[in-house]
Amino acid sequence: MNAYVMLGVFQTTQKLRTALRRLSRAGLPPLDLQMQFLRRGRCPRSVALSRKLHVGADGSRSSPAAAPQRLPFSRVTVEDLAVFRKILPGRVITDPDLVQSSNEDWLKSVRGSSEVLLRPQTTQEVSQILSYCNSRNLAVNPQGGNTGLVGGSVPVYDEIILSTSFMKNILSFDNISGILTCQAGCVLENLVLYLEERDYIMPLDLGAKGSCQIGGNVATNAGGLRLLRYGSLHGTVLGLEVVLADGQVLDCLSTLRKDNTGYDLKQLFIGSEGTLGVITAVSILCPRKPKSINVVFLGCETFDQLLKTFQLCKGMLGEILSAFEFLDSECMRLLNTHLKLPNPISDCPFYIVIETSGSDSKHDSQKLHNFLEEAMTSLLVTDGTVATEDSKIKALWSMRERVTEALTHDGFTYKYDISLPVERIYQLMTDMRQHLGNRARSVVGYGHVGDGNLHLNITSSARDPALLASIEPFVYEWTARFHGSISAEHGLGLKKRNYIYYSKSGPAVALMGNIKTLLDPKGILNPYKTLPDDLK
């Protein structure tokens, strides 16, 4: 190794040693922590526009993501509205200006034409609504915070919107077991604040926590930033209360961690995207609030170094490792350009956000110190900084959580939520950039290395059917080739329903269809979503 290389290694090592010395004071430049609220725009009410938004690349033929023909559901009548108003006095919304925001998804890529928004407050009200809609063959679109990305949370045509936003009561909390029971409409961030006051935390953390609701989180099996530590909702949700399509209330709202009496029915509804029943209440196991939290922001020259850092991290941090996230240099460019967030370290091709959570700050700091010492002497990382104070921790996390916000300023965004063997994650990014060439404005990648989840985002100046045709089905074929999943945590919704065969076998999909038919014979719950058109 020549003198110039040695000097570079020495300078890098000195930077990281400085970061280690800052474990107790976390010296970071102040970053803009203001998060814009999710905005939903106004939308036309015509069915024609709903279908137009899903046309194929040639402008005429429908793509697999296009809306199918409207099924023969009944239309809402004046008599129906009278029944709804009797069940929900003052909570039946028909003013077009008020219904519009619930007709359009957050990405403004899918618009329905519903004329009715219902806001129940109790499980019994949901039961009465579904019983009546089932008898009248009226289609229903269950909706939580409407933060979904695959068109699953808004109507395709004129389905009645059944919002859980008024079902926001916390029903109970056991301070010994840490089991929280609440209604489905509780906003995730409100649950986080409630639990923090009681020295507990939610096992789920999402960038959209200020708007998303726990019922919607469960219905889509949302993953989030700390799945590496606390696992998926299939493990932390202990019980559910669900209203079936015919209005029957299924009470599986258990608060037991062990219940081996037959089929675990609640699992059917976790990730079912509102197609099998409407979740009205949830019981969830919550961990104790960590007494010691550290966040590290590191830079790597190659993705291979990033993966080796992850391997080292798992081995040396063990039980205190709660998150291992990554973003690439294109993400950092968007954060700098659109949100004016300064890079807290020197420019690198790849960045890592590591979080540790434990009960002994001295013990955790020593483990983190040892890990960083090994990472830099092994030349796996080139620069880094450490935060222990709340404000600095939030600042570092914002570099990862605000990428989605930065993308909204870069143009129209095509978003893909892919799960792959961890060693293949960034190969998809490289191949996609080569495949698209200069047809896209930006191709960026970030996600959860701990569970192999890549968020691939492609932007263009405006909606471009030709670009979309170049992306799909290429991205799904590539994912299937390496035995990945076309949806890691956002569900299938409307946009991905016909791509399900890239991840599931024909017999498995057919069985899903049989379950749907059993629980919802008339198909009134969230039609046109999740299951492919060939099952209908």
Side-chain angles (χ1 to χ4, degrees):
M1 187 178 293
N2 62 41
Y4 291 107
V5 174
M6 285 294 292
L7 177 60
V9 171
F10 175 77
Q11 290 173 337
T12 295
T13 302
Q14 287 298 101
K15 285 182 180 180
L16 284 170
R17 289 187 190 281
T18 300
L20 288 174
R21 287 195 295 269
R22 293 201 298 252
L23 271 171
S24 60
R25 59 183 187 272
L28 276 175
L31 300 180
D32 176 17
L33 299 179
Q34 299 299 316
M35 175 66 82
Q36 294 182 357
F37 289 103
L38 297 178
R39 296 189 299 267
R40 303 190 185 102
R42 302 164 71 85
C43 65
R45 297 166 58 206
S46 69
V47 174
L49 178 56
S50 176
R51 289 191 57 76
K52 186 178 180 181
L53 288 172
H54 301 282
V55 295
D58 62 1
S60 57
R61 274 183 318 164
S62 292
S63 72
Q69 292 289 336
R70 184 185 184 278
L71 295 173
F73 296 113
S74 300
R75 307 272 184 182
V76 176
T77 66
V78 173
E79 290 76 19
D80 295 328
L81 292 177
V83 172
F84 294 144
R85 289 184 175 117
K86 186 175 181 181
I87 299 172
L88 306 175
R91 287 174 281 126
V92 177
I93 311 302
T94 56
D95 183 333
D97 290 336
L98 298 178
V99 178
Q100 279 178 347
S101 63
S102 296
N103 262 311
E104 186 175 42
D105 73 335
W106 178 63
L107 291 175
K108 297 179 175 57
S109 62
V110 182
R111 293 171 184 165
S113 55
S114 177
E115 298 180 350
V116 184
L117 170 64
L118 305 180
R119 291 173 170 170
Q121 291 179 325
T122 68
T123 299
Q124 187 55 37
E125 289 176 344
V126 175
S127 174
Q128 290 177 267
I129 291 166
L130 290 187
S131 177
Y132 180 79
C133 288
N134 192 60
S135 69
R136 280 273 296 120
N137 196 34
L138 290 166
V140 178
N141 180 92
Q143 187 176 95
N146 196 13
T147 58
L149 302 179
V150 291
S153 60
V154 295
V156 176
Y157 293 106
D158 56 346
E159 302 90 88
I160 294 166
I161 302 170
L162 179 63
S163 170
T164 56
S165 59
F166 280 18
M167 303 181 70
K168 51 190 177 183
N169 291 328
I170 293 174
L171 304 177
S172 66
F173 177 68
D174 188 324
N175 199 55
I176 297 175
S177 66
I179 297 171
L180 172 75
T181 303
C182 63
Q183 287 186 296
C186 290
V187 173
L188 181 58
E189 188 168 43
N190 292 341
L191 295 178
V192 170
L193 296 174
Y194 174 88
L195 289 169
E196 281 185 351
E197 293 176 356
R198 290 154 180 81
D199 207 30
Y200 280 84
I201 63 171
M202 285 292 288
L204 177 70
D205 190 12
L206 305 171
K209 61 189 172 187
S211 301
C212 66
Q213 298 173 11
I214 189 63
N217 298 150
V218 174
T220 57
N221 190 27
L225 302 170
R226 297 189 177 93
L227 187 141
L228 175 65
R229 173 70 173 271
Y230 301 116
S232 76
L233 291 174
H234 279 291
T236 54
V237 171
L238 302 181
L240 292 176
E241 180 185 72
V242 182
V243 181
L244 303 181
D246 63 359
Q248 179 183 349
V249 178
L250 183 64
D251 186 357
C252 294
L253 202 59
S254 172
T255 57
L256 299 174
R257 296 190 66 180
K258 284 189 172 182
D259 180 2
N260 206 20
T261 53
Y263 306 134
D264 192 358
L265 295 177
K266 71 175 183 293
Q267 298 294 347
L268 276 177
F269 302 94
I270 301 175
S272 67
E273 303 185 67
T275 62
L276 301 181
V278 177
I279 296 172
T280 52
V282 178
S283 61
I284 188 166
L285 181 64
C286 303
R288 288 296 298 267
K289 182 179 179 181
K291 297 184 184 302
S292 167
I293 297 178
N294 300 299
V295 173
V296 183
F297 195 86
L298 302 174
C300 293
E301 287 298 320
T302 68
F303 198 74
D304 183 61
Q305 288 177 333
L306 186 149
L307 293 179
K308 288 178 180 177
T309 303
F310 176 53
Q311 188 176 22
L312 180 69
C313 189
K314 287 196 299 180
M316 296 191 70
L317 297 182
E319 80 287 351
I320 67 170
L321 178 62
S322 54
F324 192 103
E325 301 286 305
F326 93 97
L327 55 150
D328 62 12
S329 57
E330 278 293 283
C331 292
M332 184 61 72
R333 179 181 64 81
L334 295 180
L335 290 168
N336 297 160
T337 302
H338 299 302
L339 304 183
K340 309 304 179 186
L341 294 183
N343 188 342
I345 62 175
S346 59
D347 291 340
C348 298
F350 299 97
Y351 302 92
I352 305 169
V353 182
I354 297 171
E355 181 187 77
T356 65
S357 305
S359 58
D360 186 329
S361 60
K362 187 174 182 180
H363 167 268
D364 297 352
S365 295
Q366 185 60 51
K367 293 194 77 164
L368 186 57
H369 182 282
N370 294 341
F371 158 70
L372 291 174
E373 191 81 49
E374 180 65 26
M376 60 184 165
T377 55
S378 302
L379 303 181
L380 294 178
V381 297
T382 58
D383 197 2
T385 188
V386 183
T388 57
E389 300 171 8
D390 285 346
S391 62
K392 309 295 176 56
I393 286 173
K394 289 178 181 177
L396 284 185
W397 265 121
S398 70
M399 305 305 293
R400 163 63 180 84
E401 290 183 321
R402 297 187 69 185
V403 175
T404 298
E405 181 188 353
L407 282 161
T408 63
H409 298 281
D410 200 56
F412 185 84
T413 307
Y414 299 91
K415 306 182 78 69
Y416 298 91
D417 163 44
I418 305 296
S419 181
L420 289 163
V422 67
E423 69 275 8
R424 298 285 187 183
I425 289 179
Y426 210 73
Q427 184 182 339
L428 172 57
M429 293 292 306
T430 303
D431 289 355
M432 181 61 77
R433 284 175 178 145
Q434 182 177 358
H435 173 69
L436 294 180
N438 60 5
R439 285 173 287 179
R441 172 178 287 177
S442 301
V443 180
V444 308
Y446 61 95
H448 322 293
V449 176
D451 49 52
N453 183 187
L454 170 70
H455 295 299
L456 166 65
N457 291 261
I458 300 164
T459 67
S460 59
S461 56
R463 188 190 305 271
D464 185 349
L467 176 60
L468 178 60
S470 297
I471 301 170
E472 300 177 13
F474 176 85
V475 64
Y476 300 131
E477 292 171 346
W478 197 102
T479 300
R481 190 187 323 146
F482 294 106
H483 310 289
S485 170
I486 65 166
S487 178
E489 59 183 4
H490 290 158
L492 295 167
L494 173 72
K495 296 180 181 179
K496 292 186 178 182
R497 71 195 188 285
N498 285 323
Y499 294 113
I500 190 173
Y501 293 106
Y502 285 103
S503 294
K504 289 288 188 291
S505 68
V509 175
L511 183 57
M512 292 180 193
N514 292 338
I515 294 171
K516 168 70 171 175
T517 300
L518 176 67
L519 295 179
D520 182 14
K522 294 184 178 180
I524 68 166
L525 287 176
N526 220 12
Y528 323 108
K529 318 286 179 60
T530 306
L531 296 175
D533 295 344
D534 62 11
L535 287 184
K536 296 179 175 64

